[in-house]
């Protein structure tokens, strides 16, 4: 995970979200805590492009892009809160905050965006022109400004500038 610096200064900033990409090789209901498996929480086994195994917990609070049903054999990316408590186990296990099937016709960025609508990694800046569909995770129209929020940004093209600029297709606000 990369460490970034605020305004080029000496204060390090850890990215809010980490991610893992791979192919789903298994999905099964699991229990959470001392409760029986009730089908609401899925235990996903992922094989990364490097051939490593990673386990993902897919809970009812995980936002799945386009509300797509994930299944074995899909190439997917899962984002997790990088500063959330995690058990030290091998293979690694993450609680997914966001999940998406990988497709060639779109790009997805999950990050905290500033007042200037620049992501925390300073790699993408949003240009909002009134045509951008902005929603919450439960698919309701977002009534505020997406600035200073954790966002799922879905876009098709961007400039080659630093940071790259895009007018996204849609934005999902991860309200906390």
């Amino acid at each position: 995970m990369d460490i970034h610096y605020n305004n080029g200064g000496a204060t390090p900033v850890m990215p809010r979200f980490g991610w893992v990409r791979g192919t789903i090789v298994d999905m099964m209901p699991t229990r959470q805590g001392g409760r029986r498996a009730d089908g609401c929480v899925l235990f996903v086994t992922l094989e990364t492009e490097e051939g490593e195994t990673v386990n993902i917990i897919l809970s009812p609070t995980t936002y799945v892009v386009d509300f797509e049903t994930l299944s074995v054999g899909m190439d997917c990316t899962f984002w997790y809160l990088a500063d959330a408590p995690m058990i030290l186990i091998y293979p690694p296990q993450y609680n997914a905050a966001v999940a998406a099937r990988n497709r060639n016709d779109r790009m997805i960025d999950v990050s905290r965006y500033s007042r200037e609508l620049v992501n925390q990694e300073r790699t993408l800046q949003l240009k909002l022109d009134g045509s951008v569909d902005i929603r919450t995770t439960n698919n309701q129209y977002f009534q505020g400004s997406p600035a200073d929020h954790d966002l799922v940004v879905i876009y098709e093209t961007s400039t080659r500038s630093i940071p790259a600029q895009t007018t996204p297709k849609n934005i999902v606000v991860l309200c906390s």
Side-chain angles (χ1 to χ4, degrees):
M1 184 172 301
D2 295 333
I3 296 176
H4 302 279
Y5 293 88
N6 275 339
N7 301 323
T11 307
V13 176
M14 293 294 293
R16 182 151 166 78
F17 293 92
W19 58 272
V20 61
R21 177 184 178 159
T23 301
I24 297 174
V25 295
D26 192 28
M27 294 179 82
M28 64 182 179
T30 189
R31 62 184 182 171
Q32 191 148 10
R35 294 178 273 163
R36 290 183 9 196
D38 63 2
C40 289
V41 178
L42 294 175
F43 190 80
V44 177
T45 303
L46 196 69
E47 184 177 311
T48 68
E49 295 170 331
E50 295 80 25
E52 297 175 3
T53 299
V54 175
N55 294 319
I56 306 289
I57 303 297
L58 203 62
S59 74
T61 61
T62 302
Y63 173 69
V64 180
V65 173
D66 294 335
F67 301 99
E68 187 168 9
T69 302
L70 304 180
S71 61
V72 171
M74 283 186 172
D75 179 31
C76 296
T77 301
F78 297 88
W79 289 265
Y80 56 90
L81 288 171
D83 61 354
M86 293 180 205
I87 59 172
L88 296 174
I89 190 171
Y90 185 83
Q93 180 174 304
Y94 303 108
N95 292 310
V98 177
R101 181 179 186 183
N102 296 323
R103 298 186 348 207
N104 291 330
D105 63 338
R106 70 175 182 206
M107 291 171 273
I108 299 173
D109 182 57
V110 178
S111 185
R112 179 89 179 169
Y113 278 77
S114 69
R115 282 183 293 210
E116 295 78 27
L117 295 175
V118 176
N119 68 359
Q120 188 176 21
E121 296 79 14
R122 290 189 201 86
T123 57
L124 190 64
Q125 182 172 20
L126 308 181
K127 298 296 179 186
L128 303 183
D129 64 2
S131 69
V132 180
D133 187 22
I134 305 175
R135 306 246 180 171
T136 60
T137 56
N138 63 2
N139 207 30
Q140 302 307 301
Y141 288 108
F142 183 71
Q143 301 296 320
S145 167
D148 291 322
H149 283 88
D150 294 330
L151 304 177
V152 179
V153 176
I154 302 161
Y155 61 104
E156 295 170 349
T157 61
S158 65
T159 65
R160 293 181 184 232
S161 60
I162 299 176
Q165 297 179 13
T166 189
T167 300
K169 181 178 171 191
N170 42 353
I171 295 172
V172 176
V173 180
L174 300 175
C175 299
S176 48

